[in-house]
Short mmCIF file of all heavy atoms in Angstrom, two decimals:
data_model
loop_
_atom_site.label_atom_id
_atom_site.label_comp_id
_atom_site.label_asym_id
_atom_site.label_seq_id
_atom_site.Cartn_x
_atom_site.Cartn_y
_atom_site.Cartn_z
N MET A 412 101.21 102.74 99.27
CA MET A 412 99.98 103.51 99.46
C MET A 412 99.33 103.77 98.11
O MET A 412 99.96 104.29 97.20
CB MET A 412 100.30 104.84 100.14
CG MET A 412 100.56 104.66 101.64
SD MET A 412 101.05 106.22 102.38
CE MET A 412 102.77 106.25 101.89
N ALA A 413 98.11 103.41 97.98
CA ALA A 413 97.41 103.54 96.71
C ALA A 413 97.08 105.00 96.40
O ALA A 413 97.31 105.47 95.31
CB ALA A 413 96.14 102.72 96.75
N LYS A 414 96.54 105.67 97.39
CA LYS A 414 96.16 107.07 97.17
C LYS A 414 97.32 107.98 97.48
O LYS A 414 98.21 107.63 98.23
CB LYS A 414 95.02 107.44 98.14
CG LYS A 414 93.65 107.28 97.55
CD LYS A 414 92.66 108.04 98.40
CE LYS A 414 91.47 107.17 98.74
NZ LYS A 414 90.55 107.83 99.65
N LYS A 415 97.27 109.19 96.91
CA LYS A 415 98.26 110.20 97.24
C LYS A 415 97.88 110.76 98.61
O LYS A 415 96.86 111.42 98.77
CB LYS A 415 98.23 111.31 96.17
CG LYS A 415 99.21 112.43 96.43
CD LYS A 415 100.65 111.98 96.23
CE LYS A 415 101.58 113.16 96.51
NZ LYS A 415 102.97 112.75 96.65
N MET A 416 98.72 110.46 99.58
CA MET A 416 98.44 110.90 100.93
C MET A 416 99.07 112.26 101.19
O MET A 416 100.02 112.65 100.54
CB MET A 416 98.97 109.87 101.93
CG MET A 416 98.39 108.48 101.74
SD MET A 416 96.62 108.39 102.03
CE MET A 416 96.60 108.31 103.83
N LYS A 417 98.53 112.93 102.17
CA LYS A 417 99.05 114.24 102.57
C LYS A 417 99.46 114.18 104.02
O LYS A 417 99.07 113.26 104.74
CB LYS A 417 97.97 115.30 102.36
CG LYS A 417 97.59 115.50 100.90
CD LYS A 417 96.22 116.09 100.75
CE LYS A 417 95.53 115.48 99.55
NZ LYS A 417 94.08 115.70 99.58
N ALA A 418 100.22 115.17 104.43
CA ALA A 418 100.67 115.19 105.82
C ALA A 418 100.42 116.57 106.43
O ALA A 418 100.60 117.59 105.78
CB ALA A 418 102.14 114.84 105.91
N CYS A 419 100.03 116.57 107.67
CA CYS A 419 99.73 117.81 108.39
C CYS A 419 101.00 118.63 108.62
O CYS A 419 102.03 118.10 109.04
CB CYS A 419 99.10 117.47 109.73
SG CYS A 419 98.81 118.91 110.76
N LYS A 420 100.91 119.93 108.32
CA LYS A 420 102.07 120.81 108.50
C LYS A 420 102.37 121.06 109.96
O LYS A 420 103.46 121.49 110.30
CB LYS A 420 101.80 122.15 107.82
CG LYS A 420 101.79 122.04 106.29
CD LYS A 420 101.57 123.39 105.67
CE LYS A 420 101.55 123.28 104.15
NZ LYS A 420 101.31 124.58 103.51
N ARG A 421 101.41 120.85 110.84
CA ARG A 421 101.62 121.14 112.24
C ARG A 421 102.00 119.89 113.04
O ARG A 421 103.01 119.88 113.73
CB ARG A 421 100.36 121.79 112.81
CG ARG A 421 100.57 122.37 114.18
CD ARG A 421 99.43 123.27 114.55
NE ARG A 421 98.95 122.95 115.88
CZ ARG A 421 97.74 123.22 116.31
NH1 ARG A 421 96.87 123.80 115.53
NH2 ARG A 421 97.39 122.91 117.53
N CYS A 422 101.21 118.84 112.92
CA CYS A 422 101.49 117.67 113.78
C CYS A 422 102.02 116.48 112.99
O CYS A 422 102.28 115.44 113.58
CB CYS A 422 100.25 117.29 114.58
SG CYS A 422 98.95 116.55 113.59
N ASN A 423 102.18 116.62 111.67
CA ASN A 423 102.76 115.58 110.81
C ASN A 423 101.87 114.36 110.57
O ASN A 423 102.31 113.39 109.97
CB ASN A 423 104.12 115.09 111.33
CG ASN A 423 105.20 116.14 111.22
OD1 ASN A 423 104.92 117.32 111.13
ND2 ASN A 423 106.44 115.71 111.21
N ALA A 424 100.67 114.37 111.04
CA ALA A 424 99.78 113.23 110.82
C ALA A 424 99.51 113.04 109.33
O ALA A 424 99.34 114.00 108.60
CB ALA A 424 98.45 113.45 111.56
N ILE A 425 99.49 111.78 108.90
CA ILE A 425 99.24 111.48 107.50
C ILE A 425 97.75 111.23 107.29
O ILE A 425 97.11 110.52 108.06
CB ILE A 425 100.08 110.27 107.05
CG1 ILE A 425 101.56 110.67 107.05
CG2 ILE A 425 99.66 109.79 105.67
CD1 ILE A 425 102.50 109.52 106.81
N THR A 426 97.22 111.83 106.24
CA THR A 426 95.79 111.74 105.98
C THR A 426 95.53 111.86 104.48
O THR A 426 96.40 112.34 103.74
CB THR A 426 95.04 112.87 106.72
OG1 THR A 426 93.66 112.77 106.42
CG2 THR A 426 95.53 114.25 106.31
N ASP A 427 94.34 111.44 104.03
CA ASP A 427 93.98 111.73 102.64
C ASP A 427 92.95 112.85 102.59
O ASP A 427 92.42 113.18 101.54
CB ASP A 427 93.51 110.47 101.90
CG ASP A 427 92.33 109.80 102.57
OD1 ASP A 427 91.81 110.34 103.56
OD2 ASP A 427 91.92 108.73 102.09
N GLU A 428 92.65 113.44 103.74
CA GLU A 428 91.72 114.56 103.79
C GLU A 428 92.46 115.86 103.44
O GLU A 428 93.68 115.90 103.39
CB GLU A 428 91.15 114.71 105.22
CG GLU A 428 90.52 113.46 105.78
CD GLU A 428 89.23 113.08 105.07
OE1 GLU A 428 88.52 113.98 104.60
OE2 GLU A 428 88.95 111.88 104.97
N ASN A 429 91.68 116.91 103.25
CA ASN A 429 92.29 118.20 102.92
C ASN A 429 92.60 119.03 104.15
O ASN A 429 93.12 120.15 104.05
CB ASN A 429 91.42 118.98 101.95
CG ASN A 429 91.46 118.34 100.57
OD1 ASN A 429 92.51 117.92 100.10
ND2 ASN A 429 90.31 118.23 99.93
N GLU A 430 92.26 118.50 105.31
CA GLU A 430 92.73 119.12 106.54
C GLU A 430 93.00 118.00 107.55
O GLU A 430 92.50 116.89 107.42
CB GLU A 430 91.76 120.15 107.09
CG GLU A 430 90.45 119.59 107.58
CD GLU A 430 89.57 120.67 108.22
OE1 GLU A 430 89.63 121.83 107.77
OE2 GLU A 430 88.86 120.34 109.17
N CYS A 431 93.84 118.32 108.52
CA CYS A 431 94.27 117.29 109.47
C CYS A 431 93.12 116.83 110.34
O CYS A 431 92.43 117.65 110.94
CB CYS A 431 95.38 117.88 110.34
SG CYS A 431 95.93 116.72 111.59
N PRO A 432 92.89 115.51 110.43
CA PRO A 432 91.81 115.01 111.28
C PRO A 432 92.12 115.14 112.77
O PRO A 432 91.22 115.08 113.59
CB PRO A 432 91.69 113.53 110.88
CG PRO A 432 93.01 113.17 110.31
CD PRO A 432 93.57 114.43 109.70
N LEU A 433 93.38 115.33 113.10
CA LEU A 433 93.77 115.43 114.51
C LEU A 433 93.72 116.86 115.03
O LEU A 433 93.19 117.11 116.10
CB LEU A 433 95.20 114.89 114.72
CG LEU A 433 95.43 113.40 114.44
CD1 LEU A 433 96.85 113.02 114.77
CD2 LEU A 433 94.45 112.53 115.21
N CYS A 434 94.29 117.79 114.27
CA CYS A 434 94.37 119.17 114.79
C CYS A 434 93.70 120.20 113.88
O CYS A 434 93.63 121.36 114.23
CB CYS A 434 95.82 119.54 115.06
SG CYS A 434 96.81 119.77 113.57
N GLY A 435 93.20 119.76 112.72
CA GLY A 435 92.47 120.68 111.85
C GLY A 435 93.35 121.65 111.05
O GLY A 435 92.84 122.55 110.41
N SER A 436 94.67 121.42 111.09
CA SER A 436 95.58 122.31 110.37
C SER A 436 95.66 121.98 108.89
O SER A 436 95.14 120.95 108.44
CB SER A 436 96.97 122.23 110.98
OG SER A 436 96.96 122.77 112.27
N GLU A 437 96.36 122.84 108.18
CA GLU A 437 96.59 122.66 106.76
C GLU A 437 97.46 121.42 106.52
O GLU A 437 98.32 121.10 107.32
CB GLU A 437 97.36 123.88 106.26
CG GLU A 437 96.87 124.45 104.95
CD GLU A 437 97.75 125.62 104.54
OE1 GLU A 437 97.95 126.54 105.35
OE2 GLU A 437 98.24 125.59 103.40
N VAL A 438 97.24 120.77 105.37
CA VAL A 438 98.07 119.61 105.03
C VAL A 438 98.93 119.93 103.81
O VAL A 438 98.59 120.81 103.03
CB VAL A 438 97.21 118.35 104.76
CG1 VAL A 438 96.49 117.90 106.02
CG2 VAL A 438 96.23 118.57 103.62
N ALA A 439 100.05 119.22 103.67
CA ALA A 439 100.97 119.42 102.55
C ALA A 439 101.03 118.14 101.73
O ALA A 439 100.95 117.03 102.28
CB ALA A 439 102.35 119.77 103.08
N LYS A 440 101.18 118.28 100.41
CA LYS A 440 101.31 117.10 99.55
C LYS A 440 102.73 116.58 99.54
O LYS A 440 102.97 115.43 99.20
CB LYS A 440 100.88 117.44 98.13
CG LYS A 440 99.37 117.56 98.00
CD LYS A 440 98.98 117.90 96.57
CE LYS A 440 97.52 118.31 96.50
NZ LYS A 440 97.27 119.30 95.46
N GLU A 441 103.67 117.46 99.87
CA GLU A 441 105.08 117.08 99.84
C GLU A 441 105.55 116.72 101.24
O GLU A 441 105.61 117.57 102.12
CB GLU A 441 105.92 118.27 99.33
CG GLU A 441 105.46 118.79 98.01
CD GLU A 441 106.28 118.24 96.86
OE1 GLU A 441 107.32 117.63 97.13
OE2 GLU A 441 105.88 118.43 95.71
N TRP A 442 105.90 115.47 101.40
CA TRP A 442 106.41 115.03 102.70
C TRP A 442 107.27 113.80 102.49
O TRP A 442 107.24 113.18 101.43
CB TRP A 442 105.28 114.76 103.67
CG TRP A 442 104.24 113.80 103.17
CD1 TRP A 442 103.15 114.12 102.40
CD2 TRP A 442 104.20 112.38 103.34
NE1 TRP A 442 102.45 112.97 102.10
CE2 TRP A 442 103.06 111.90 102.68
CE3 TRP A 442 105.02 111.47 104.02
CZ2 TRP A 442 102.73 110.55 102.66
CZ3 TRP A 442 104.69 110.11 104.01
CH2 TRP A 442 103.55 109.67 103.34
N GLN A 443 108.07 113.50 103.49
CA GLN A 443 109.01 112.37 103.39
C GLN A 443 108.98 111.54 104.66
O GLN A 443 108.77 112.07 105.74
CB GLN A 443 110.43 112.89 103.24
CG GLN A 443 110.68 113.58 101.92
CD GLN A 443 112.12 114.06 101.84
OE1 GLN A 443 112.64 114.58 102.81
NE2 GLN A 443 112.74 113.88 100.70
N GLY A 444 109.27 110.28 104.49
CA GLY A 444 109.40 109.40 105.64
C GLY A 444 108.03 108.99 106.17
O GLY A 444 107.03 109.64 105.90
N TYR A 445 108.03 107.93 106.92
CA TYR A 445 106.77 107.35 107.34
C TYR A 445 106.98 106.71 108.69
O TYR A 445 107.87 105.89 108.87
CB TYR A 445 106.39 106.32 106.28
CG TYR A 445 105.00 105.78 106.38
CD1 TYR A 445 103.90 106.61 106.14
CD2 TYR A 445 104.78 104.44 106.68
CE1 TYR A 445 102.62 106.11 106.21
CE2 TYR A 445 103.49 103.94 106.74
CZ TYR A 445 102.41 104.78 106.50
OH TYR A 445 101.14 104.27 106.55
N LEU A 446 106.20 107.13 109.64
CA LEU A 446 106.35 106.60 110.99
C LEU A 446 104.98 106.14 111.48
O LEU A 446 104.02 106.90 111.46
CB LEU A 446 106.88 107.72 111.90
CG LEU A 446 106.92 107.44 113.40
CD1 LEU A 446 107.96 106.40 113.74
CD2 LEU A 446 107.19 108.72 114.16
N ILE A 447 104.92 104.88 111.90
CA ILE A 447 103.67 104.39 112.49
C ILE A 447 103.88 104.31 113.99
O ILE A 447 104.78 103.62 114.47
CB ILE A 447 103.28 103.02 111.92
CG1 ILE A 447 103.00 103.13 110.41
CG2 ILE A 447 102.03 102.48 112.64
CD1 ILE A 447 102.76 101.80 109.73
N VAL A 448 103.08 105.06 114.71
CA VAL A 448 103.19 105.07 116.17
C VAL A 448 102.06 104.20 116.72
O VAL A 448 100.89 104.45 116.47
CB VAL A 448 103.07 106.52 116.70
CG1 VAL A 448 103.09 106.53 118.23
CG2 VAL A 448 104.20 107.38 116.17
N ILE A 449 102.46 103.16 117.45
CA ILE A 449 101.43 102.30 118.04
C ILE A 449 101.40 102.39 119.56
O ILE A 449 100.40 102.10 120.17
CB ILE A 449 101.58 100.82 117.59
CG1 ILE A 449 103.02 100.34 117.77
CG2 ILE A 449 101.12 100.63 116.15
CD1 ILE A 449 103.19 98.85 117.56
N GLU A 450 102.53 102.83 120.13
CA GLU A 450 102.54 103.02 121.59
C GLU A 450 103.28 104.31 121.87
O GLU A 450 104.44 104.30 122.28
CB GLU A 450 103.25 101.85 122.28
CG GLU A 450 102.48 100.56 122.27
CD GLU A 450 103.13 99.51 123.14
OE1 GLU A 450 104.34 99.26 122.94
OE2 GLU A 450 102.46 98.96 124.02
N HIS A 451 102.59 105.42 121.64
CA HIS A 451 103.27 106.71 121.76
C HIS A 451 103.87 106.94 123.15
O HIS A 451 104.86 107.62 123.30
CB HIS A 451 102.33 107.85 121.36
CG HIS A 451 101.20 108.08 122.31
ND1 HIS A 451 101.33 108.90 123.40
CD2 HIS A 451 99.95 107.57 122.36
CE1 HIS A 451 100.18 108.90 124.06
NE2 HIS A 451 99.33 108.10 123.45
N GLU A 452 103.26 106.32 124.16
CA GLU A 452 103.77 106.49 125.54
C GLU A 452 105.18 105.93 125.67
O GLU A 452 105.96 106.36 126.51
CB GLU A 452 102.90 105.76 126.56
CG GLU A 452 101.42 106.06 126.50
CD GLU A 452 100.65 105.08 125.61
OE1 GLU A 452 101.22 104.58 124.62
OE2 GLU A 452 99.48 104.83 125.91
N HIS A 453 105.50 104.93 124.85
CA HIS A 453 106.78 104.25 124.98
C HIS A 453 107.73 104.55 123.83
O HIS A 453 108.78 103.93 123.74
CB HIS A 453 106.55 102.73 125.07
CG HIS A 453 105.61 102.35 126.17
ND1 HIS A 453 105.91 102.56 127.50
CD2 HIS A 453 104.37 101.83 126.13
CE1 HIS A 453 104.88 102.14 128.23
NE2 HIS A 453 103.93 101.71 127.43
N SER A 454 107.34 105.45 122.95
CA SER A 454 108.17 105.74 121.78
C SER A 454 108.99 107.00 121.99
O SER A 454 108.46 108.10 122.12
CB SER A 454 107.28 105.89 120.54
OG SER A 454 108.06 106.39 119.47
N GLU A 455 110.31 106.80 122.01
CA GLU A 455 111.24 107.91 122.16
C GLU A 455 111.10 108.89 121.00
O GLU A 455 111.08 110.10 121.17
CB GLU A 455 112.67 107.34 122.19
CG GLU A 455 113.77 108.37 122.34
CD GLU A 455 113.98 108.80 123.78
OE1 GLU A 455 113.25 108.33 124.68
OE2 GLU A 455 114.88 109.61 123.99
N LEU A 456 110.96 108.32 119.79
CA LEU A 456 110.85 109.14 118.59
C LEU A 456 109.56 109.97 118.61
O LEU A 456 109.57 111.16 118.30
CB LEU A 456 110.88 108.22 117.36
CG LEU A 456 110.98 108.90 115.99
CD1 LEU A 456 112.18 109.83 115.90
CD2 LEU A 456 111.07 107.84 114.90
N ALA A 457 108.47 109.35 119.01
CA ALA A 457 107.20 110.06 119.10
C ALA A 457 107.32 111.22 120.09
O ALA A 457 106.85 112.33 119.84
CB ALA A 457 106.08 109.11 119.52
N ARG A 458 107.99 110.98 121.20
CA ARG A 458 108.15 112.01 122.22
C ARG A 458 108.97 113.17 121.66
O ARG A 458 108.62 114.33 121.83
CB ARG A 458 108.84 111.42 123.46
CG ARG A 458 108.72 112.28 124.69
CD ARG A 458 109.31 111.60 125.93
NE ARG A 458 110.69 111.15 125.72
CZ ARG A 458 111.75 111.96 125.75
NH1 ARG A 458 111.61 113.22 126.00
NH2 ARG A 458 112.96 111.47 125.55
N LYS A 459 110.06 112.83 120.95
CA LYS A 459 110.91 113.86 120.36
C LYS A 459 110.16 114.70 119.34
O LYS A 459 110.41 115.88 119.18
CB LYS A 459 112.11 113.21 119.65
CG LYS A 459 113.26 112.93 120.58
CD LYS A 459 114.47 112.48 119.77
CE LYS A 459 115.55 111.92 120.68
NZ LYS A 459 116.48 111.06 119.93
N MET A 460 109.28 114.05 118.60
CA MET A 460 108.53 114.76 117.57
C MET A 460 107.28 115.44 118.12
O MET A 460 106.55 116.08 117.39
CB MET A 460 108.14 113.79 116.45
CG MET A 460 109.34 113.33 115.64
SD MET A 460 108.87 112.14 114.35
CE MET A 460 107.79 113.13 113.33
N GLY A 461 107.03 115.27 119.39
CA GLY A 461 105.86 115.90 120.00
C GLY A 461 104.56 115.21 119.65
O GLY A 461 103.50 115.82 119.67
N ILE A 462 104.64 113.93 119.32
CA ILE A 462 103.45 113.16 118.98
C ILE A 462 102.84 112.58 120.25
O ILE A 462 103.51 111.90 121.01
CB ILE A 462 103.80 112.03 117.98
CG1 ILE A 462 104.23 112.64 116.64
CG2 ILE A 462 102.62 111.09 117.79
CD1 ILE A 462 104.86 111.63 115.69
N SER A 463 101.58 112.88 120.48
CA SER A 463 100.97 112.40 121.71
C SER A 463 99.75 111.52 121.43
O SER A 463 98.85 111.40 122.24
CB SER A 463 100.58 113.59 122.59
OG SER A 463 99.71 114.42 121.85
N THR A 464 99.75 110.92 120.26
CA THR A 464 98.66 109.99 119.94
C THR A 464 99.20 108.92 118.99
O THR A 464 100.24 109.10 118.37
CB THR A 464 97.49 110.77 119.28
OG1 THR A 464 96.41 109.86 119.07
CG2 THR A 464 97.88 111.39 117.95
N ASN A 465 98.51 107.81 118.91
CA ASN A 465 98.93 106.77 117.98
C ASN A 465 98.43 107.08 116.57
O ASN A 465 97.40 107.73 116.41
CB ASN A 465 98.37 105.41 118.42
CG ASN A 465 98.96 104.96 119.73
OD1 ASN A 465 100.04 105.37 120.13
ND2 ASN A 465 98.24 104.11 120.43
N GLY A 466 99.15 106.62 115.59
CA GLY A 466 98.72 106.84 114.20
C GLY A 466 99.90 106.85 113.25
O GLY A 466 100.99 106.40 113.59
N LYS A 467 99.65 107.37 112.05
CA LYS A 467 100.68 107.43 111.02
C LYS A 467 101.16 108.86 110.86
O LYS A 467 100.34 109.78 110.76
CB LYS A 467 100.11 106.92 109.69
CG LYS A 467 99.87 105.43 109.70
CD LYS A 467 99.19 105.00 108.43
CE LYS A 467 97.79 104.52 108.73
NZ LYS A 467 96.99 104.36 107.52
N PHE A 468 102.45 109.04 110.83
CA PHE A 468 103.03 110.39 110.77
C PHE A 468 104.14 110.45 109.75
O PHE A 468 104.86 109.47 109.54
CB PHE A 468 103.56 110.79 112.14
CG PHE A 468 102.48 110.85 113.20
CD1 PHE A 468 102.17 109.71 113.91
CD2 PHE A 468 101.79 112.01 113.43
CE1 PHE A 468 101.15 109.74 114.86
CE2 PHE A 468 100.78 112.06 114.36
CZ PHE A 468 100.46 110.91 115.09
N ALA A 469 104.29 111.64 109.15
CA ALA A 469 105.40 111.87 108.25
C ALA A 469 106.60 112.33 109.08
O ALA A 469 106.43 112.99 110.10
CB ALA A 469 105.03 112.95 107.25
N LEU A 470 107.80 111.96 108.64
CA LEU A 470 108.99 112.40 109.36
C LEU A 470 109.34 113.85 109.01
O LEU A 470 109.80 114.61 109.84
CB LEU A 470 110.17 111.49 109.05
CG LEU A 470 110.04 110.06 109.58
CD1 LEU A 470 111.26 109.24 109.19
CD2 LEU A 470 109.85 110.02 111.09
N LYS A 471 109.13 114.20 107.75
CA LYS A 471 109.41 115.56 107.29
C LYS A 471 108.26 116.05 106.44
O LYS A 471 107.83 115.35 105.52
CB LYS A 471 110.66 115.58 106.40
CG LYS A 471 111.92 115.88 107.13
CD LYS A 471 113.01 116.12 106.10
CE LYS A 471 114.39 116.01 106.73
NZ LYS A 471 115.44 116.03 105.72
N VAL A 472 107.78 117.25 106.71
CA VAL A 472 106.71 117.83 105.90
C VAL A 472 107.23 119.12 105.29
O VAL A 472 107.77 119.98 105.99
CB VAL A 472 105.45 118.12 106.74
CG1 VAL A 472 104.36 118.74 105.88
CG2 VAL A 472 104.95 116.85 107.40
N ARG A 473 107.09 119.25 103.98
CA ARG A 473 107.51 120.47 103.27
C ARG A 473 106.51 121.57 103.58
O ARG A 473 105.30 121.36 103.47
CB ARG A 473 107.53 120.17 101.76
CG ARG A 473 107.90 121.32 100.88
CD ARG A 473 109.37 121.39 100.52
NE ARG A 473 109.88 120.26 99.74
CZ ARG A 473 109.79 120.18 98.41
NH1 ARG A 473 109.17 121.09 97.71
NH2 ARG A 473 110.32 119.17 97.78
N GLU A 474 107.01 122.72 103.94
CA GLU A 474 106.13 123.87 104.23
C GLU A 474 105.47 124.39 102.98
O GLU A 474 106.08 124.42 101.93
CB GLU A 474 106.95 125.01 104.86
CG GLU A 474 107.42 124.69 106.28
CD GLU A 474 106.25 124.49 107.26
OE1 GLU A 474 105.26 125.22 107.14
OE2 GLU A 474 106.36 123.62 108.12
ZN1 LIG B 1071 97.65 117.97 112.46
#
């Protein structure tokens, strides 16, 4: 990733914006792991993490 990306503290979505484009929550600069969800309906991991849309998500976000 060229730019320093951030991750949403609430839904874990990865973004370069200063607020989450999905839920409008605060974003954190410190996060770990990277998950690309392309078929959230069929993804066990997405379901466990409460992800209900396709996109890029962090596995862990520092509060
Ligand atoms: Zn969010």
Side-chain angles (χ1 to χ4, degrees):
M412 284 176 280
K414 266 197 229 175
K415 179 70 180 167
M416 302 296 280
K417 295 157 217 163
C419 175
K420 290 182 180 179
R421 191 166 132 203
C422 72
N423 291 22
I425 292 173
T426 179
D427 58 4
E428 306 291 329
N429 288 319
E430 67 175 33
C431 177
L433 296 183
C434 71
S436 293
E437 224 182 308
V438 295
K440 285 180 192 148
E441 305 262 349
W442 54 274
Q443 291 181 318
Y445 191 67
L446 171 69
I447 297 173
V448 176
I449 49 171
E450 288 188 307
H451 69 87
E452 308 93 328
H453 305 295
S454 170
E455 180 82 358
L456 188 55
R458 196 175 53 78
K459 275 188 192 160
M460 290 178 63
I462 293 169
S463 57
T464 184
N465 294 337
K467 289 175 247 168
F468 298 88
L470 292 179
K471 266 190 197 171
V472 179
R473 178 94 64 85
E474 290 297 322

